[in-house]
Structure formats: structure tokens, C-alpha cells
């Protein structure tokens, strides 16, 4: 299951019985259930190095791994930000 959006809001059930769940968003709000019964779940920042996750009253469960990831900030030689 692959989801890509600026904001992902789940109030029900997102489930994958045989594979992984991959989400790319700047904001993830979950008050339901996100489950990968036979795989992993990854939540990655859509752009930049900010990923806002609100899992109040929700559950995120994976058999293998659960990964939250943002891109790293790159600096040039004089310490100025090249990429956020």
C-alpha cells in the first residue's frame, strides 16, 4: 500500500495483509489503525526535514519494522544550508 499526499489523515483502518505500507507526507494524523500484518511500515517526509506525526488514540503496528524518516539538512563548507 503506497500513499503520497501533503497530509494523510486516517480515522479508520489502513491495512496490508501481505506487504508493506509506505507513506510519504509532511503530516500524518492517525486516530485509527495502520497495520502491516506481514511487512513493514515507513512514514517519510514528503519534502524537507519535517515530519509531523499525531497518533493520538491510534495504533501503528508492523510485523517487521516501523520507520519514520526525514531528509537530512546539507551544509556547505562555510556552514550555510544547501538543502533542507
Amino acid at each position: 500500500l503506497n500513499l503520497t499526499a501533503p497530509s494523510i489523515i486516517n480515522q479508520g483502518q489502513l491495512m496490508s495483509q501481505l506487504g508493506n505500507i509506505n507513506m510519504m507526507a509532511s503530516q500524518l494524523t492517525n486516530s485509527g489503525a495502520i497495520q502491516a500484518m506481514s511487512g513493514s511500515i515507513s512514514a517519510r517526509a514528503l519534502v524537507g526535514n519535517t515530519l509531523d506525526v499525531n497518533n493520538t488514540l491510534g495504533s501503528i503496528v508492523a510485523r517487521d519494522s516501523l520507520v519514520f524518516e526525514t531528509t537530512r539538512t546539507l551544509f556547505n563548507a562555510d556552514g550555510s544550508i544547501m538543502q533542507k
Side-chain angles (χ1 to χ4, degrees), residues 13-41:
Q13 294 185 350
L14 295 175
M15 300 180 111
S16 175
Q17 292 183 344
L18 299 176
N20 298 324
I21 297 176
N22 301 302
M23 299 175 284
M24 291 188 70
S26 297
Q27 182 178 22
L28 171 62
T29 302
N30 178 47
S31 60
I34 301 174
Q35 297 180 346
M37 307 303 266
S38 299
S40 300
I41 296 174

PDB file of all heavy atoms in Angstrom, residues 13-41:
ATOM      1  N   GLN A  13      -9.206   2.257   9.137  1.00  0.00           N
ATOM      2  CA  GLN A  13      -8.191   1.214   9.093  1.00  0.00           C
ATOM      3  C   GLN A  13      -7.452   1.246   7.771  1.00  0.00           C
ATOM      4  O   GLN A  13      -8.071   1.209   6.707  1.00  0.00           O
ATOM      5  CB  GLN A  13      -8.829  -0.160   9.268  1.00  0.00           C
ATOM      6  CG  GLN A  13      -9.441  -0.378  10.626  1.00  0.00           C
ATOM      7  CD  GLN A  13      -9.959  -1.795  10.787  1.00  0.00           C
ATOM      8  OE1 GLN A  13     -10.026  -2.567   9.840  1.00  0.00           O
ATOM      9  NE2 GLN A  13     -10.328  -2.134  12.002  1.00  0.00           N
ATOM     10  N   LEU A  14      -6.135   1.312   7.844  1.00  0.00           N
ATOM     11  CA  LEU A  14      -5.257   1.124   6.688  1.00  0.00           C
ATOM     12  C   LEU A  14      -4.507  -0.164   6.962  1.00  0.00           C
ATOM     13  O   LEU A  14      -3.737  -0.245   7.917  1.00  0.00           O
ATOM     14  CB  LEU A  14      -4.265   2.279   6.546  1.00  0.00           C
ATOM     15  CG  LEU A  14      -4.843   3.654   6.229  1.00  0.00           C
ATOM     16  CD1 LEU A  14      -3.741   4.698   6.255  1.00  0.00           C
ATOM     17  CD2 LEU A  14      -5.509   3.632   4.862  1.00  0.00           C
ATOM     18  N   MET A  15      -4.751  -1.182   6.133  1.00  0.00           N
ATOM     19  CA  MET A  15      -4.164  -2.491   6.405  1.00  0.00           C
ATOM     20  C   MET A  15      -3.568  -3.105   5.142  1.00  0.00           C
ATOM     21  O   MET A  15      -4.128  -2.957   4.063  1.00  0.00           O
ATOM     22  CB  MET A  15      -5.207  -3.448   6.965  1.00  0.00           C
ATOM     23  CG  MET A  15      -5.835  -2.996   8.251  1.00  0.00           C
ATOM     24  SD  MET A  15      -7.047  -4.171   8.824  1.00  0.00           S
ATOM     25  CE  MET A  15      -6.204  -4.763  10.256  1.00  0.00           C
ATOM     26  N   SER A  16      -2.459  -3.775   5.326  1.00  0.00           N
ATOM     27  CA  SER A  16      -1.854  -4.574   4.277  1.00  0.00           C
ATOM     28  C   SER A  16      -1.594  -5.955   4.861  1.00  0.00           C
ATOM     29  O   SER A  16      -0.839  -6.093   5.820  1.00  0.00           O
ATOM     30  CB  SER A  16      -0.547  -3.952   3.802  1.00  0.00           C
ATOM     31  OG  SER A  16       0.079  -4.797   2.867  1.00  0.00           O
ATOM     32  N   GLN A  17      -2.237  -6.965   4.309  1.00  0.00           N
ATOM     33  CA  GLN A  17      -2.076  -8.314   4.843  1.00  0.00           C
ATOM     34  C   GLN A  17      -0.828  -9.012   4.326  1.00  0.00           C
ATOM     35  O   GLN A  17      -0.258  -9.843   5.015  1.00  0.00           O
ATOM     36  CB  GLN A  17      -3.302  -9.160   4.515  1.00  0.00           C
ATOM     37  CG  GLN A  17      -4.537  -8.708   5.244  1.00  0.00           C
ATOM     38  CD  GLN A  17      -5.732  -9.610   4.949  1.00  0.00           C
ATOM     39  OE1 GLN A  17      -5.729 -10.375   3.998  1.00  0.00           O
ATOM     40  NE2 GLN A  17      -6.751  -9.494   5.776  1.00  0.00           N
ATOM     41  N   LEU A  18      -0.393  -8.666   3.105  1.00  0.00           N
ATOM     42  CA  LEU A  18       0.714  -9.407   2.503  1.00  0.00           C
ATOM     43  C   LEU A  18       1.937  -8.563   2.160  1.00  0.00           C
ATOM     44  O   LEU A  18       2.910  -9.091   1.645  1.00  0.00           O
ATOM     45  CB  LEU A  18       0.226 -10.100   1.226  1.00  0.00           C
ATOM     46  CG  LEU A  18      -0.900 -11.109   1.423  1.00  0.00           C
ATOM     47  CD1 LEU A  18      -1.371 -11.650   0.084  1.00  0.00           C
ATOM     48  CD2 LEU A  18      -0.458 -12.239   2.337  1.00  0.00           C
ATOM     49  N   GLY A  19       1.907  -7.265   2.419  1.00  0.00           N
ATOM     50  CA  GLY A  19       3.032  -6.435   2.024  1.00  0.00           C
ATOM     51  C   GLY A  19       3.297  -5.297   2.987  1.00  0.00           C
ATOM     52  O   GLY A  19       2.864  -5.311   4.140  1.00  0.00           O
ATOM     53  N   ASN A  20       3.991  -4.297   2.470  1.00  0.00           N
ATOM     54  CA  ASN A  20       4.397  -3.140   3.252  1.00  0.00           C
ATOM     55  C   ASN A  20       3.418  -1.981   3.079  1.00  0.00           C
ATOM     56  O   ASN A  20       2.673  -1.927   2.102  1.00  0.00           O
ATOM     57  CB  ASN A  20       5.789  -2.675   2.820  1.00  0.00           C
ATOM     58  CG  ASN A  20       6.833  -3.739   3.050  1.00  0.00           C
ATOM     59  OD1 ASN A  20       6.774  -4.488   4.018  1.00  0.00           O
ATOM     60  ND2 ASN A  20       7.800  -3.816   2.157  1.00  0.00           N
ATOM     61  N   ILE A  21       3.487  -1.032   3.999  1.00  0.00           N
ATOM     62  CA  ILE A  21       2.766   0.228   3.882  1.00  0.00           C
ATOM     63  C   ILE A  21       3.818   1.335   3.827  1.00  0.00           C
ATOM     64  O   ILE A  21       4.647   1.447   4.731  1.00  0.00           O
ATOM     65  CB  ILE A  21       1.808   0.460   5.060  1.00  0.00           C
ATOM     66  CG1 ILE A  21       0.725  -0.628   5.083  1.00  0.00           C
ATOM     67  CG2 ILE A  21       1.177   1.845   4.971  1.00  0.00           C
ATOM     68  CD1 ILE A  21      -0.214  -0.548   6.272  1.00  0.00           C
ATOM     69  N   ASN A  22       3.797   2.109   2.749  1.00  0.00           N
ATOM     70  CA  ASN A  22       4.733   3.215   2.556  1.00  0.00           C
ATOM     71  C   ASN A  22       3.942   4.510   2.458  1.00  0.00           C
ATOM     72  O   ASN A  22       3.062   4.632   1.607  1.00  0.00           O
ATOM     73  CB  ASN A  22       5.554   3.010   1.281  1.00  0.00           C
ATOM     74  CG  ASN A  22       6.346   1.727   1.332  1.00  0.00           C
ATOM     75  OD1 ASN A  22       7.145   1.535   2.219  1.00  0.00           O
ATOM     76  ND2 ASN A  22       6.093   0.851   0.382  1.00  0.00           N
ATOM     77  N   MET A  23       4.253   5.459   3.333  1.00  0.00           N
ATOM     78  CA  MET A  23       3.557   6.741   3.345  1.00  0.00           C
ATOM     79  C   MET A  23       4.570   7.869   3.197  1.00  0.00           C
ATOM     80  O   MET A  23       5.596   7.876   3.877  1.00  0.00           O
ATOM     81  CB  MET A  23       2.787   6.917   4.665  1.00  0.00           C
ATOM     82  CG  MET A  23       1.733   5.847   4.889  1.00  0.00           C
ATOM     83  SD  MET A  23       0.934   5.957   6.505  1.00  0.00           S
ATOM     84  CE  MET A  23       2.226   5.294   7.545  1.00  0.00           C
ATOM     85  N   MET A  24       4.270   8.805   2.287  1.00  0.00           N
ATOM     86  CA  MET A  24       5.087   9.994   2.137  1.00  0.00           C
ATOM     87  C   MET A  24       4.176  11.196   2.327  1.00  0.00           C
ATOM     88  O   MET A  24       3.222  11.387   1.570  1.00  0.00           O
ATOM     89  CB  MET A  24       5.749  10.032   0.760  1.00  0.00           C
ATOM     90  CG  MET A  24       6.814   8.975   0.583  1.00  0.00           C
ATOM     91  SD  MET A  24       7.738   9.193  -0.939  1.00  0.00           S
ATOM     92  CE  MET A  24       8.649  10.670  -0.566  1.00  0.00           C
ATOM     93  N   ALA A  25       4.466  11.996   3.360  1.00  0.00           N
ATOM     94  CA  ALA A  25       3.634  13.147   3.684  1.00  0.00           C
ATOM     95  C   ALA A  25       4.419  14.080   4.593  1.00  0.00           C
ATOM     96  O   ALA A  25       5.403  13.682   5.219  1.00  0.00           O
ATOM     97  CB  ALA A  25       2.347  12.707   4.382  1.00  0.00           C
ATOM     98  N   SER A  26       3.969  15.305   4.685  1.00  0.00           N
ATOM     99  CA  SER A  26       4.543  16.230   5.658  1.00  0.00           C
ATOM    100  C   SER A  26       3.855  16.083   7.003  1.00  0.00           C
ATOM    101  O   SER A  26       4.428  16.392   8.043  1.00  0.00           O
ATOM    102  CB  SER A  26       4.393  17.681   5.162  1.00  0.00           C
ATOM    103  OG  SER A  26       5.121  17.847   3.972  1.00  0.00           O
ATOM    104  N   GLN A  27       2.616  15.601   6.974  1.00  0.00           N
ATOM    105  CA  GLN A  27       1.837  15.442   8.200  1.00  0.00           C
ATOM    106  C   GLN A  27       1.058  14.133   8.150  1.00  0.00           C
ATOM    107  O   GLN A  27       0.378  13.840   7.170  1.00  0.00           O
ATOM    108  CB  GLN A  27       0.878  16.608   8.371  1.00  0.00           C
ATOM    109  CG  GLN A  27       0.072  16.558   9.643  1.00  0.00           C
ATOM    110  CD  GLN A  27      -0.826  17.769   9.789  1.00  0.00           C
ATOM    111  OE1 GLN A  27      -1.161  18.423   8.804  1.00  0.00           O
ATOM    112  NE2 GLN A  27      -1.203  18.070  11.002  1.00  0.00           N
ATOM    113  N   LEU A  28       1.149  13.347   9.227  1.00  0.00           N
ATOM    114  CA  LEU A  28       0.408  12.097   9.367  1.00  0.00           C
ATOM    115  C   LEU A  28      -0.412  12.173  10.647  1.00  0.00           C
ATOM    116  O   LEU A  28       0.136  12.332  11.733  1.00  0.00           O
ATOM    117  CB  LEU A  28       1.361  10.901   9.430  1.00  0.00           C
ATOM    118  CG  LEU A  28       0.754   9.544   9.792  1.00  0.00           C
ATOM    119  CD1 LEU A  28      -0.279   9.115   8.763  1.00  0.00           C
ATOM    120  CD2 LEU A  28       1.841   8.495   9.936  1.00  0.00           C
ATOM    121  N   THR A  29      -1.735  12.084  10.503  1.00  0.00           N
ATOM    122  CA  THR A  29      -2.632  12.075  11.657  1.00  0.00           C
ATOM    123  C   THR A  29      -3.380  10.748  11.643  1.00  0.00           C
ATOM    124  O   THR A  29      -4.055  10.427  10.674  1.00  0.00           O
ATOM    125  CB  THR A  29      -3.634  13.247  11.593  1.00  0.00           C
ATOM    126  OG1 THR A  29      -2.902  14.473  11.529  1.00  0.00           O
ATOM    127  CG2 THR A  29      -4.536  13.267  12.804  1.00  0.00           C
ATOM    128  N   ASN A  30      -3.255   9.991  12.730  1.00  0.00           N
ATOM    129  CA  ASN A  30      -3.867   8.673  12.803  1.00  0.00           C
ATOM    130  C   ASN A  30      -4.626   8.535  14.119  1.00  0.00           C
ATOM    131  O   ASN A  30      -4.032   8.602  15.191  1.00  0.00           O
ATOM    132  CB  ASN A  30      -2.797   7.578  12.717  1.00  0.00           C
ATOM    133  CG  ASN A  30      -3.390   6.200  12.842  1.00  0.00           C
ATOM    134  OD1 ASN A  30      -4.382   5.884  12.200  1.00  0.00           O
ATOM    135  ND2 ASN A  30      -2.792   5.369  13.674  1.00  0.00           N
ATOM    136  N   SER A  31      -5.928   8.350  14.030  1.00  0.00           N
ATOM    137  CA  SER A  31      -6.714   8.027  15.220  1.00  0.00           C
ATOM    138  C   SER A  31      -7.397   6.674  15.042  1.00  0.00           C
ATOM    139  O   SER A  31      -8.298   6.322  15.783  1.00  0.00           O
ATOM    140  CB  SER A  31      -7.752   9.122  15.505  1.00  0.00           C
ATOM    141  OG  SER A  31      -8.636   9.264  14.409  1.00  0.00           O
ATOM    142  N   GLY A  32      -6.941   5.932  14.050  1.00  0.00           N
ATOM    143  CA  GLY A  32      -7.478   4.606  13.755  1.00  0.00           C
ATOM    144  C   GLY A  32      -6.384   3.572  13.882  1.00  0.00           C
ATOM    145  O   GLY A  32      -5.597   3.596  14.820  1.00  0.00           O
ATOM    146  N   ALA A  33      -6.308   2.663  12.916  1.00  0.00           N
ATOM    147  CA  ALA A  33      -5.312   1.596  12.923  1.00  0.00           C
ATOM    148  C   ALA A  33      -4.584   1.561  11.583  1.00  0.00           C
ATOM    149  O   ALA A  33      -5.205   1.617  10.526  1.00  0.00           O
ATOM    150  CB  ALA A  33      -5.982   0.247  13.170  1.00  0.00           C
ATOM    151  N   ILE A  34      -3.266   1.495  11.660  1.00  0.00           N
ATOM    152  CA  ILE A  34      -2.420   1.283  10.492  1.00  0.00           C
ATOM    153  C   ILE A  34      -1.637   0.013  10.787  1.00  0.00           C
ATOM    154  O   ILE A  34      -0.887  -0.051  11.762  1.00  0.00           O
ATOM    155  CB  ILE A  34      -1.476   2.476  10.238  1.00  0.00           C
ATOM    156  CG1 ILE A  34      -2.276   3.762  10.015  1.00  0.00           C
ATOM    157  CG2 ILE A  34      -0.566   2.190   9.054  1.00  0.00           C
ATOM    158  CD1 ILE A  34      -1.429   5.016   9.893  1.00  0.00           C
ATOM    159  N   GLN A  35      -1.836  -1.026   9.949  1.00  0.00           N
ATOM    160  CA  GLN A  35      -1.238  -2.327  10.230  1.00  0.00           C
ATOM    161  C   GLN A  35      -0.650  -2.961   8.979  1.00  0.00           C
ATOM    162  O   GLN A  35      -1.318  -3.022   7.948  1.00  0.00           O
ATOM    163  CB  GLN A  35      -2.277  -3.283  10.808  1.00  0.00           C
ATOM    164  CG  GLN A  35      -2.848  -2.853  12.126  1.00  0.00           C
ATOM    165  CD  GLN A  35      -3.879  -3.845  12.660  1.00  0.00           C
ATOM    166  OE1 GLN A  35      -4.359  -4.716  11.931  1.00  0.00           O
ATOM    167  NE2 GLN A  35      -4.229  -3.695  13.928  1.00  0.00           N
ATOM    168  N   ALA A  36       0.570  -3.451   9.095  1.00  0.00           N
ATOM    169  CA  ALA A  36       1.211  -4.258   8.062  1.00  0.00           C
ATOM    170  C   ALA A  36       1.415  -5.642   8.676  1.00  0.00           C
ATOM    171  O   ALA A  36       2.370  -5.867   9.412  1.00  0.00           O
ATOM    172  CB  ALA A  36       2.530  -3.643   7.623  1.00  0.00           C
ATOM    173  N   MET A  37       0.505  -6.532   8.399  1.00  0.00           N
ATOM    174  CA  MET A  37       0.474  -7.847   9.047  1.00  0.00           C
ATOM    175  C   MET A  37       1.670  -8.725   8.676  1.00  0.00           C
ATOM    176  O   MET A  37       2.093  -9.552   9.478  1.00  0.00           O
ATOM    177  CB  MET A  37      -0.816  -8.579   8.680  1.00  0.00           C
ATOM    178  CG  MET A  37      -2.072  -7.770   8.939  1.00  0.00           C
ATOM    179  SD  MET A  37      -2.221  -7.228  10.622  1.00  0.00           S
ATOM    180  CE  MET A  37      -3.216  -8.548  11.239  1.00  0.00           C
ATOM    181  N   SER A  38       2.219  -8.566   7.472  1.00  0.00           N
ATOM    182  CA  SER A  38       3.330  -9.413   7.021  1.00  0.00           C
ATOM    183  C   SER A  38       4.526  -8.598   6.553  1.00  0.00           C
ATOM    184  O   SER A  38       5.387  -9.116   5.848  1.00  0.00           O
ATOM    185  CB  SER A  38       2.873 -10.302   5.856  1.00  0.00           C
ATOM    186  OG  SER A  38       1.837 -11.144   6.267  1.00  0.00           O
ATOM    187  N   GLY A  39       4.590  -7.323   6.920  1.00  0.00           N
ATOM    188  CA  GLY A  39       5.667  -6.489   6.402  1.00  0.00           C
ATOM    189  C   GLY A  39       6.016  -5.343   7.327  1.00  0.00           C
ATOM    190  O   GLY A  39       5.875  -5.432   8.539  1.00  0.00           O
ATOM    191  N   SER A  40       6.437  -4.246   6.712  1.00  0.00           N
ATOM    192  CA  SER A  40       6.918  -3.072   7.427  1.00  0.00           C
ATOM    193  C   SER A  40       6.064  -1.856   7.117  1.00  0.00           C
ATOM    194  O   SER A  40       5.322  -1.838   6.136  1.00  0.00           O
ATOM    195  CB  SER A  40       8.365  -2.773   7.023  1.00  0.00           C
ATOM    196  OG  SER A  40       9.200  -3.854   7.336  1.00  0.00           O
ATOM    197  N   ILE A  41       6.226  -0.822   7.936  1.00  0.00           N
ATOM    198  CA  ILE A  41       5.567   0.464   7.716  1.00  0.00           C
ATOM    199  C   ILE A  41       6.644   1.533   7.696  1.00  0.00           C
ATOM    200  O   ILE A  41       7.502   1.573   8.586  1.00  0.00           O
ATOM    201  CB  ILE A  41       4.541   0.781   8.822  1.00  0.00           C
ATOM    202  CG1 ILE A  41       3.409  -0.245   8.810  1.00  0.00           C
ATOM    203  CG2 ILE A  41       3.988   2.199   8.655  1.00  0.00           C
ATOM    204  CD1 ILE A  41       2.423  -0.091   9.949  1.00  0.00           C
TER     205      ILE A  41
END
